[in-house]
Coordinates of all heavy atoms in Angstrom, one line a residue:
M68 N -16.3 -37.5 43.9 CA -15.9 -38.1 45.2 C -16.3 -39.5 45.2 O -15.5 -40.4 45.7 CB -16.5 -37.4 46.3 CG -16.1 -37.7 47.7 SD -14.4 -37.3 47.9 CE -14.3 -37.6 49.5
E69 N -17.4 -39.8 44.6 CA -17.9 -41.2 44.6 C -16.9 -42.1 43.8 O -16.7 -43.3 44.0 CB -19.3 -41.2 44.0 CG -20.0 -42.5 44.2 CD -21.5 -42.4 43.7 OE1 -22.2 -41.6 44.3 OE2 -21.8 -43.2 42.8
L70 N -16.5 -41.6 42.6 CA -15.6 -42.3 41.7 C -14.2 -42.5 42.5 O -13.7 -43.6 42.3 CB -15.3 -41.5 40.4 CG -14.5 -42.1 39.4 CD1 -15.1 -43.4 38.9 CD2 -14.2 -41.1 38.3
L71 N -13.7 -41.6 43.2 CA -12.5 -41.8 44.0 C -12.7 -42.9 45.0 O -11.7 -43.7 45.2 CB -12.1 -40.4 44.7 CG -10.8 -40.5 45.5 CD1 -9.6 -40.8 44.6 CD2 -10.7 -39.2 46.3
I72 N -13.8 -42.9 45.7 CA -13.9 -43.9 46.8 C -14.0 -45.3 46.1 O -13.5 -46.3 46.7 CB -15.2 -43.6 47.6 CG1 -14.9 -42.3 48.4 CG2 -15.6 -44.8 48.5 CD1 -16.1 -41.8 49.2
S73 N -14.7 -45.4 45.0 CA -14.8 -46.7 44.4 C -13.5 -47.2 43.8 O -13.1 -48.3 43.8 CB -15.9 -46.7 43.3 OG -15.5 -45.9 42.3
G74 N -12.7 -46.2 43.3 CA -11.4 -46.5 42.8 C -10.4 -47.0 43.9 O -9.7 -48.0 43.8
I75 N -10.5 -46.3 45.0 CA -9.6 -46.7 46.2 C -10.1 -48.1 46.7 O -9.2 -49.0 47.1 CB -9.7 -45.7 47.3 CG1 -9.0 -44.4 46.8 CG2 -9.1 -46.2 48.6 CD1 -9.1 -43.2 47.8
T76 N -11.4 -48.4 46.7 CA -11.9 -49.7 47.1 C -11.4 -50.8 46.3 O -11.0 -51.8 46.8 CB -13.4 -49.7 47.2 OG1 -13.9 -48.6 48.0 CG2 -14.1 -51.0 47.7
I77 N -11.5 -50.6 44.9 CA -11.0 -51.6 44.0 C -9.5 -51.8 44.2 O -9.1 -52.9 44.2 CB -11.3 -51.2 42.6 CG1 -12.8 -51.3 42.4 CG2 -10.6 -52.0 41.5 CD1 -13.3 -50.6 41.1
F78 N -8.8 -50.7 44.4 CA -7.3 -50.9 44.6 C -7.0 -51.7 45.8 O -6.1 -52.6 45.8 CB -6.7 -49.5 44.7 CG -5.2 -49.5 44.8 CD1 -4.3 -49.9 43.9 CD2 -4.7 -49.1 46.1 CE1 -2.9 -49.9 44.1 CE2 -3.3 -49.1 46.2 CZ -2.4 -49.5 45.2
V79 N -7.6 -51.4 46.9 CA -7.4 -52.1 48.2 C -7.8 -53.6 48.0 O -7.1 -54.5 48.5 CB -8.2 -51.4 49.4 CG1 -8.1 -52.3 50.6 CG2 -7.5 -50.1 49.7
L80 N -8.9 -53.9 47.4 CA -9.3 -55.3 47.2 C -8.4 -56.0 46.3 O -8.0 -57.2 46.5 CB -10.7 -55.3 46.6 CG -11.9 -54.9 47.5 CD1 -13.2 -54.9 46.8 CD2 -11.9 -55.9 48.7
A81 N -7.9 -55.3 45.3 CA -6.8 -55.9 44.4 C -5.6 -56.3 45.1 O -4.9 -57.3 44.9 CB -6.4 -55.0 43.2
I82 N -5.1 -55.4 46.1 CA -4.0 -55.8 47.0 C -4.2 -57.0 47.8 O -3.3 -57.9 47.8 CB -3.7 -54.6 47.9 CG1 -3.1 -53.4 47.1 CG2 -2.7 -55.0 49.0 CD1 -3.0 -52.1 47.9
F83 N -5.3 -57.1 48.4 CA -5.7 -58.3 49.2 C -5.8 -59.6 48.3 O -5.2 -60.6 48.7 CB -7.0 -58.2 50.0 CG -6.8 -57.3 51.2 CD1 -7.6 -56.1 51.3 CD2 -5.9 -57.5 52.1 CE1 -7.5 -55.3 52.4 CE2 -5.7 -56.6 53.3 CZ -6.5 -55.5 53.4
V84 N -6.4 -59.5 47.2 CA -6.5 -60.7 46.3 C -5.1 -61.1 45.8 O -4.9 -62.2 45.7 CB -7.5 -60.4 45.2 CG1 -7.4 -61.4 44.1 CG2 -8.9 -60.3 45.7
G85 N -4.4 -60.1 45.4 CA -3.1 -60.4 44.9 C -2.2 -61.1 45.9 O -1.4 -62.0 45.6
F86 N -2.3 -60.5 47.2 CA -1.4 -61.1 48.2 C -1.9 -62.6 48.5 O -1.0 -63.5 48.6 CB -1.6 -60.3 49.5 CG -0.8 -60.8 50.7 CD1 0.6 -60.7 50.8 CD2 -1.4 -61.6 51.6 CE1 1.3 -61.2 51.8 CE2 -0.8 -62.1 52.7 CZ 0.6 -61.9 52.8
E87 N -3.2 -62.8 48.5 CA -3.7 -64.1 48.7 C -3.2 -65.1 47.7 O -2.9 -66.3 47.8 CB -5.2 -64.2 48.8 CG -5.7 -63.7 50.2 CD -5.2 -64.5 51.4 OE1 -5.2 -65.7 51.3 OE2 -4.7 -63.9 52.4
I88 N -3.3 -64.6 46.4 CA -2.9 -65.5 45.2 C -1.4 -65.8 45.3 O -1.0 -67.0 45.1 CB -3.3 -64.9 43.9 CG1 -4.8 -64.9 43.8 CG2 -2.7 -65.5 42.8 CD1 -5.3 -64.1 42.6
I89 N -0.6 -64.8 45.5 CA 0.8 -65.0 45.5 C 1.3 -65.9 46.7 O 2.2 -66.8 46.5 CB 1.6 -63.7 45.6 CG1 1.4 -62.9 44.2 CG2 3.1 -63.8 45.9 CD1 1.9 -61.5 44.2
T90 N 0.7 -65.8 47.9 CA 1.1 -66.6 48.9 C 0.7 -68.1 48.8 O 1.3 -69.0 49.4 CB 0.6 -66.1 50.2 OG1 -0.8 -66.0 50.2 CG2 1.2 -64.8 50.6
K91 N -0.3 -68.4 47.9 CA -0.8 -69.8 47.7 C 0.0 -70.5 46.6 O -0.3 -71.6 46.4 CB -2.3 -69.8 47.4 CG -3.1 -69.1 48.5 CD -3.2 -69.9 49.7 CE -4.1 -69.2 50.6 NZ -3.6 -68.7 51.9
I92 N 0.9 -69.9 45.9 CA 1.6 -70.5 44.8 C 2.7 -71.4 45.3 O 3.5 -70.9 46.0 CB 2.1 -69.4 43.8 CG1 0.9 -68.7 43.1 CG2 3.0 -70.1 42.7 CD1 1.3 -67.6 42.3
P93 N 2.8 -72.6 44.9 CA 3.9 -73.4 45.3 C 5.3 -72.9 44.7 O 5.3 -72.3 43.6 CB 3.6 -74.8 44.9 CG 2.5 -74.6 43.8 CD 1.8 -73.4 44.0
P94 N 6.4 -73.2 45.3 CA 7.7 -72.7 44.8 C 8.0 -73.2 43.4 O 8.7 -72.6 42.7 CB 8.7 -73.2 45.8 CG 7.9 -73.4 47.1 CD 6.5 -73.8 46.6
T95 N 7.6 -74.4 43.0 CA 7.8 -74.9 41.7 C 7.2 -74.1 40.5 O 7.7 -74.2 39.5 CB 7.5 -76.4 41.5 OG1 6.1 -76.5 41.9 CG2 8.3 -77.3 42.5
L96 N 6.2 -73.4 40.9 CA 5.6 -72.6 39.8 C 6.1 -71.2 39.7 O 5.7 -70.5 38.8 CB 4.1 -72.5 40.1 CG 3.3 -73.9 39.9 CD1 1.9 -73.7 40.2 CD2 3.5 -74.3 38.5
H97 N 7.0 -70.8 40.6 CA 7.5 -69.3 40.5 C 8.2 -69.1 39.2 O 8.1 -67.9 38.7 CB 8.4 -69.1 41.8 CG 7.5 -68.7 43.0 ND1 7.2 -67.5 43.3 CD2 6.9 -69.6 43.9 CE1 6.5 -67.5 44.5 NE2 6.3 -68.7 44.8
T98 N 9.0 -70.0 38.7 CA 9.8 -69.7 37.5 C 8.9 -69.4 36.3 O 9.0 -68.5 35.6 CB 10.8 -70.8 37.3 OG1 11.7 -70.9 38.4 CG2 11.6 -70.5 36.0
P99 N 8.0 -70.3 36.1 CA 7.1 -70.0 34.9 C 6.2 -68.8 35.1 O 6.1 -68.0 34.2 CB 6.1 -71.2 34.9 CG 6.8 -72.3 35.6 CD 7.7 -71.6 36.6
L100 N 5.9 -68.5 36.3 CA 5.1 -67.3 36.6 C 6.0 -66.0 36.4 O 5.5 -64.9 35.9 CB 4.5 -67.2 38.0 CG 3.4 -68.2 38.2 CD1 2.9 -68.3 39.6 CD2 2.2 -67.8 37.3
M101 N 7.3 -66.1 36.8 CA 8.2 -65.0 36.5 C 8.3 -64.7 35.0 O 8.4 -63.5 34.6 CB 9.6 -65.3 37.1 CG 9.6 -65.1 38.6 SD 9.4 -63.4 39.1 CE 10.7 -62.6 38.4
S102 N 8.3 -65.7 34.2 CA 8.4 -65.6 32.7 C 7.2 -64.9 32.2 O 7.3 -64.0 31.4 CB 8.7 -66.9 32.1 OG 9.8 -67.5 32.5
G103 N 6.1 -65.2 32.8 CA 4.8 -64.7 32.3 C 4.8 -63.2 32.7 O 4.4 -62.3 32.0
A104 N 5.3 -62.9 34.0 CA 5.3 -61.5 34.4 C 6.2 -60.7 33.6 O 6.1 -59.5 33.4 CB 5.7 -61.5 35.9
N105 N 7.4 -61.3 33.2 CA 8.3 -60.6 32.3 C 7.7 -60.1 30.9 O 7.9 -59.1 30.5 CB 9.6 -61.4 32.0 CG 10.5 -61.4 33.2 OD1 10.4 -60.5 34.1 ND2 11.2 -62.5 33.3
A106 N 6.8 -61.1 30.5 CA 6.1 -60.8 29.2 C 5.1 -59.6 29.4 O 5.1 -58.7 28.6 CB 5.4 -62.0 28.7
I107 N 4.5 -59.6 30.5 CA 3.6 -58.4 30.8 C 4.4 -57.2 31.0 O 4.0 -56.1 30.5 CB 2.7 -58.8 32.1 CG1 1.7 -59.9 31.8 CG2 1.9 -57.6 32.6 CD1 1.1 -60.5 32.9
S108 N 5.5 -57.2 31.6 CA 6.4 -56.0 31.8 C 6.9 -55.6 30.5 O 7.0 -54.4 30.3 CB 7.6 -56.4 32.7 OG 7.1 -56.6 34.0
G109 N 7.1 -56.5 29.5 CA 7.5 -56.1 28.1 C 6.4 -55.3 27.5 O 6.7 -54.3 26.8
I110 N 5.1 -55.7 27.7 CA 4.1 -54.9 27.1 C 3.9 -53.6 27.8 O 3.7 -52.6 27.1 CB 2.7 -55.7 27.3 CG1 2.8 -57.0 26.5 CG2 1.5 -54.9 27.0 CD1 1.7 -58.0 26.9
T111 N 4.2 -53.5 29.1 CA 4.2 -52.2 29.8 C 5.3 -51.3 29.2 O 5.1 -50.1 29.0 CB 4.5 -52.4 31.2 OG1 3.5 -53.4 31.7 CG2 4.4 -51.2 32.0
L112 N 6.5 -51.9 28.9 CA 7.5 -51.1 28.3 C 7.2 -50.6 26.9 O 7.5 -49.4 26.6 CB 8.8 -52.0 28.1 CG 10.0 -51.4 27.6 CD1 10.5 -50.2 28.4 CD2 11.2 -52.4 27.6
V113 N 6.5 -51.3 26.2 CA 6.1 -50.8 24.9 C 5.1 -49.7 25.0 O 5.1 -48.6 24.4 CB 5.4 -52.0 24.0 CG1 4.7 -51.4 22.7 CG2 6.4 -53.0 23.7
G114 N 4.2 -49.8 26.0 CA 3.2 -48.7 26.2 C 3.9 -47.5 26.7 O 3.5 -46.3 26.4
A115 N 5.0 -47.7 27.6 CA 5.6 -46.5 28.1 C 6.5 -45.8 27.0 O 6.5 -44.6 26.9 CB 6.7 -47.0 29.2
I116 N 7.0 -46.5 26.0 CA 7.7 -46.0 24.9 C 6.7 -45.2 24.0 O 7.0 -44.1 23.6 CB 8.4 -47.1 24.0 CG1 9.5 -47.7 24.8 CG2 8.8 -46.5 22.7 CD1 10.2 -48.9 24.2
L117 N 5.5 -45.8 23.8 CA 4.5 -45.0 23.0 C 4.1 -43.8 23.7 O 3.9 -42.7 23.0 CB 3.3 -46.0 22.8 CG 3.5 -47.1 21.9 CD1 2.3 -48.0 21.7 CD2 3.8 -46.6 20.4
S118 N 3.9 -43.8 25.1 CA 3.6 -42.6 25.8 C 4.7 -41.6 25.8 O 4.3 -40.4 25.6 CB 3.2 -43.0 27.2 OG 3.0 -41.8 28.0
A119 N 5.9 -42.0 25.9 CA 7.0 -41.0 25.8 C 7.1 -40.4 24.5 O 7.5 -39.2 24.3 CB 8.3 -41.6 26.3
G120 N 6.9 -41.2 23.5 CA 7.1 -40.8 22.0 C 5.9 -39.9 21.5 O 6.1 -39.2 20.5
S121 N 4.8 -39.9 22.2 CA 3.7 -39.1 21.6 C 3.9 -37.6 21.7 O 3.4 -36.9 20.9 CB 2.4 -39.5 22.4 OG 2.4 -39.0 23.7
Q122 N 4.7 -37.2 22.7 CA 5.0 -35.8 22.9 C 3.8 -34.9 22.8 O 3.8 -33.8 22.1 CB 6.1 -35.4 21.9 CG 7.3 -36.1 22.0 CD 8.4 -35.7 21.1 OE1 8.2 -34.9 20.1 NE2 9.6 -36.2 21.3
Q123 N 2.8 -35.2 23.5 CA 1.6 -34.3 23.6 C 1.9 -33.1 24.5 O 1.6 -32.0 24.1 CB 0.4 -35.1 24.0 CG 0.0 -36.1 23.1 CD -1.2 -36.9 23.5 OE1 -1.8 -36.7 24.6 NE2 -1.7 -37.8 22.7
T124 N 2.4 -33.4 25.7 CA 2.8 -32.3 26.5 C 4.1 -32.7 27.1 O 4.6 -33.8 27.0 CB 1.8 -32.1 27.7 OG1 1.8 -33.2 28.5 CG2 0.3 -31.8 27.2
V125 N 4.7 -31.7 27.8 CA 6.1 -32.0 28.5 C 5.8 -33.0 29.6 O 6.7 -33.9 29.8 CB 6.7 -30.7 29.0 CG1 7.9 -31.0 29.8 CG2 6.9 -29.7 27.9
L126 N 4.7 -32.9 30.3 CA 4.4 -33.8 31.4 C 4.3 -35.3 30.9 O 4.8 -36.1 31.6 CB 3.2 -33.4 32.1 CG 2.7 -34.3 33.3 CD1 3.8 -34.2 34.4 CD2 1.4 -33.9 33.8
T127 N 3.6 -35.5 29.9 CA 3.4 -36.9 29.3 C 4.7 -37.4 28.8 O 5.0 -38.6 29.0 CB 2.4 -36.9 28.2 OG1 2.7 -36.1 27.1 CG2 0.9 -36.6 28.7
T128 N 5.5 -36.6 28.3 CA 6.9 -37.0 27.7 C 7.8 -37.4 28.9 O 8.4 -38.4 28.9 CB 7.5 -36.0 26.8 OG1 6.6 -35.6 25.8 CG2 8.8 -36.4 26.3
A129 N 7.7 -36.6 30.0 CA 8.6 -36.8 31.1 C 8.1 -38.1 31.9 O 8.9 -38.9 32.3 CB 8.6 -35.6 32.1
L130 N 6.8 -38.2 32.1 CA 6.3 -39.4 32.8 C 6.5 -40.7 32.0 O 6.7 -41.7 32.5 CB 4.8 -39.2 33.1 CG 4.5 -38.2 34.2 CD1 3.0 -38.0 34.4 CD2 5.1 -38.6 35.5
G131 N 6.3 -40.5 30.6 CA 6.6 -41.7 29.8 C 8.1 -42.1 29.8 O 8.3 -43.3 29.8
G132 N 8.9 -41.1 29.8 CA 10.3 -41.5 29.9 C 10.7 -42.1 31.3 O 11.4 -43.1 31.3
L133 N 10.1 -41.6 32.3 CA 10.3 -42.3 33.6 C 9.7 -43.7 33.6 O 10.3 -44.6 34.2 CB 9.6 -41.4 34.7 CG 9.8 -41.7 36.1 CD1 11.3 -41.5 36.4 CD2 9.0 -40.9 37.0
A134 N 8.6 -43.8 33.0 CA 7.9 -45.2 32.8 C 8.8 -46.1 32.1 O 8.9 -47.3 32.4 CB 6.5 -45.1 32.2
V135 N 9.5 -45.7 31.1 CA 10.4 -46.4 30.3 C 11.5 -46.9 31.1 O 11.9 -48.1 31.1 CB 11.0 -45.7 29.0 CG1 12.1 -46.4 28.4 CG2 9.8 -45.4 28.0
V136 N 12.1 -46.1 31.9 CA 13.2 -46.4 32.8 C 12.8 -47.5 33.8 O 13.5 -48.5 33.9 CB 13.8 -45.2 33.6 CG1 14.8 -45.6 34.7 CG2 14.4 -44.3 32.6
F137 N 11.7 -47.3 34.5 CA 11.1 -48.3 35.5 C 10.8 -49.5 34.9 O 11.0 -50.6 35.4 CB 10.0 -47.7 36.3 CG 10.4 -46.6 37.3 CD1 9.7 -45.5 37.5 CD2 11.6 -46.8 38.1 CE1 10.1 -44.5 38.4 CE2 12.0 -45.9 39.0 CZ 11.2 -44.7 39.2
A138 N 10.1 -49.6 33.7 CA 9.7 -50.8 33.1 C 10.9 -51.6 32.6 O 11.0 -52.8 32.6 CB 8.8 -50.5 31.9
T139 N 12.0 -50.9 32.1 CA 13.2 -51.5 31.7 C 13.9 -52.2 32.8 O 14.3 -53.4 32.8 CB 14.1 -50.5 31.0 OG1 13.5 -49.9 29.9 CG2 15.4 -51.2 30.5
I140 N 13.9 -51.5 34.0 CA 14.6 -52.1 35.2 C 13.7 -53.3 35.6 O 14.4 -54.3 36.0 CB 14.6 -51.1 36.4 CG1 15.6 -50.0 36.0 CG2 14.9 -51.7 37.7 CD1 15.5 -48.8 37.0
N141 N 12.4 -53.3 35.5 CA 11.6 -54.4 35.9 C 11.8 -55.6 34.9 O 11.9 -56.7 35.4 CB 10.1 -54.0 35.8 CG 9.2 -55.0 36.5 OD1 9.7 -55.8 37.3 ND2 7.9 -54.9 36.3
V142 N 11.9 -55.4 33.6 CA 12.1 -56.5 32.7 C 13.5 -57.1 32.9 O 13.6 -58.3 33.0 CB 12.0 -56.0 31.3 CG1 12.4 -56.9 30.3 CG2 10.5 -55.6 31.0
V143 N 14.5 -56.3 33.0 CA 15.9 -56.8 33.1 C 16.0 -57.5 34.4 O 16.6 -58.6 34.5 CB 16.9 -55.7 33.0 CG1 18.3 -56.2 33.3 CG2 16.9 -55.1 31.5
G144 N 15.5 -57.0 35.5 CA 15.6 -57.6 36.9 C 14.8 -58.9 36.9 O 15.2 -59.9 37.4
G145 N 13.7 -59.0 36.2 CA 12.8 -60.2 36.1 C 13.6 -61.3 35.4 O 13.5 -62.5 35.8
F146 N 14.3 -60.9 34.3 CA 15.0 -61.9 33.5 C 16.2 -62.5 34.3 O 16.5 -63.6 34.3 CB 15.4 -61.5 32.1 CG 14.3 -61.5 31.1 CD1 13.8 -60.4 30.5 CD2 13.8 -62.7 30.8 CE1 12.7 -60.5 29.7 CE2 12.7 -62.9 29.8 CZ 12.2 -61.7 29.3
M147 N 16.8 -61.5 35.1 CA 17.9 -62.0 35.9 C 17.5 -62.9 37.0 O 18.2 -64.0 37.2 CB 18.6 -60.8 36.5 CG 19.4 -59.9 35.5 SD 20.0 -58.4 36.2 CE 21.2 -59.0 37.3
V148 N 16.3 -62.6 37.6 CA 15.8 -63.5 38.7 C 15.5 -64.9 38.1 O 15.8 -66.0 38.6 CB 14.7 -62.9 39.4 CG1 13.9 -63.9 40.2 CG2 15.2 -61.7 40.2
T149 N 14.8 -64.8 36.9 CA 14.4 -66.1 36.2 C 15.6 -66.9 35.8 O 15.6 -68.1 36.0 CB 13.5 -65.8 35.0 OG1 12.4 -65.1 35.4 CG2 13.1 -67.1 34.3
N150 N 16.6 -66.3 35.3 CA 17.9 -67.0 35.0 C 18.5 -67.6 36.1 O 19.0 -68.8 36.1 CB 18.8 -66.1 34.2 CG 20.0 -66.8 33.7 OD1 19.9 -67.9 33.2 ND2 21.1 -66.2 33.7
R151 N 18.5 -66.9 37.3 CA 19.2 -67.5 38.5 C 18.4 -68.6 39.0 O 18.9 -69.6 39.5 CB 19.2 -66.3 39.5 CG 19.9 -66.7 40.8 CD 20.1 -65.6 41.7 NE 20.7 -66.0 42.9 CZ 20.8 -65.4 44.0 NH1 20.3 -64.1 44.0 NH2 21.4 -65.8 45.1
M152 N 17.0 -68.6 38.9 CA 16.2 -69.6 39.4 C 16.3 -70.9 38.5 O 16.4 -72.0 39.0 CB 14.7 -69.2 39.4 CG 14.5 -68.3 40.5 SD 12.7 -67.6 40.4 CE 11.9 -69.0 41.1
L153 N 16.5 -70.7 37.2 CA 16.7 -71.8 36.2 C 18.0 -72.5 36.5 O 18.3 -73.6 36.3 CB 16.5 -71.3 34.7 CG 15.1 -71.0 34.4 CD1 15.1 -70.4 33.0 CD2 14.2 -72.3 34.5
E154 N 19.1 -71.6 36.8 CA 20.5 -72.2 37.1 C 20.3 -73.2 38.3 O 21.2 -74.1 38.4 CB 21.4 -71.0 37.4 CG 21.8 -70.2 36.2 CD 22.6 -71.0 35.3 OE1 23.4 -71.9 35.7 OE2 22.4 -70.7 34.0
M155 N 19.5 -72.9 39.2 CA 19.3 -73.8 40.4 C 18.9 -75.2 40.0 O 19.1 -76.2 40.7 CB 18.4 -73.3 41.4 CG 18.8 -72.0 42.0 SD 17.6 -71.0 43.1 CE 16.7 -72.3 43.8
F156 N 18.2 -75.4 38.8 CA 17.6 -76.7 38.4 C 18.7 -77.5 37.6 O 18.5 -78.6 37.3 CB 16.3 -76.6 37.7 CG 15.2 -76.1 38.7 CD1 14.7 -74.8 38.6 CD2 14.7 -76.9 39.5 CE1 13.8 -74.4 39.4 CE2 13.7 -76.5 40.4 CZ 13.2 -75.2 40.3
K157 N 19.8 -76.8 37.1 CA 20.7 -77.5 36.3 C 21.6 -78.5 37.1 O 21.9 -78.2 38.2 CB 21.6 -76.5 35.6 CG 20.9 -75.8 34.5 CD 21.8 -74.8 33.7 CE 21.1 -74.1 32.6 NZ 22.0 -73.2 31.9
K158 N 22.0 -79.5 36.5 CA 22.9 -80.5 37.1 C 24.2 -79.9 37.3 O 24.7 -79.3 36.2 CB 22.9 -81.8 36.4 CG 21.6 -82.6 36.5 CD 21.8 -83.9 35.8 CE 20.5 -84.7 35.8 NZ 20.6 -86.0 35.2
K159 N 24.9 -80.0 38.3 CA 26.3 -79.5 38.5 C 27.3 -80.5 38.0 O 27.1 -81.8 38.3 CB 26.5 -79.2 40.0 CG 25.6 -78.1 40.5 CD 25.8 -77.9 42.0 CE 24.9 -76.8 42.4 NZ 24.8 -76.6 43.8
S160 N 28.2 -80.0 37.2 CA 29.1 -81.0 36.7 C 30.4 -81.0 37.4 O 30.8 -80.3 38.2 CB 29.5 -80.6 35.2 OG 29.9 -79.2 35.2

């Protein structure tokens, strides 16, 4: 029970800290930060593939497969948003 309460406390504090950090970032830094977040999502995708491929139990394989799907959506969506943001900075001909 003590471990659960400390885990929930850390999770709630991480939410508040993350919100404060994200709201303080100027708009000009969002594109580089999106690229960094895409790199982290790529690492998550590799971990999900490893989890799905380990086939220890049916549950780990199913959850790993689901994680692969969600991580792929996150990576592709992040690159689409980054590309759209970079298009805004190009000169119009």
Side-chain angles (χ1 to χ4, degrees):
M68 188 65 169
E69 192 174 302
L70 184 63
L71 178 65
I72 292 174
S73 65
I75 290 173
T76 303
I77 291 170
F78 181 69
V79 170
L80 288 173
I82 290 173
F83 285 123
V84 169
F86 180 77
E87 285 298 316
I88 289 172
I89 289 172
T90 56
K91 303 292 189 247
I92 294 174
T95 55
L96 291 178
H97 278 265
T98 302
L100 288 174
M101 283 296 297
S102 298
N105 287 335
I107 293 169
S108 296
I110 295 169
T111 306
L112 181 58
V113 170
I116 291 170
L117 291 174
S118 175
S121 69
Q122 296 182 352
Q123 292 180 1
T124 65
V125 176
L126 180 63
T127 58
T128 304
L130 290 176
L133 191 63
V135 169
V136 170
F137 286 137
T139 303
I140 290 170
N141 194 16
V142 169
V143 171
F146 279 116
M147 289 174 63
V148 168
T149 302
N150 188 36
R151 185 173 177 191
M152 291 174 78
L153 289 173
E154 290 290 326
M155 293 170 36
F156 292 107
K157 288 186 178 177
K158 291 183 179 180
K159 295 178 182 169
S160 55

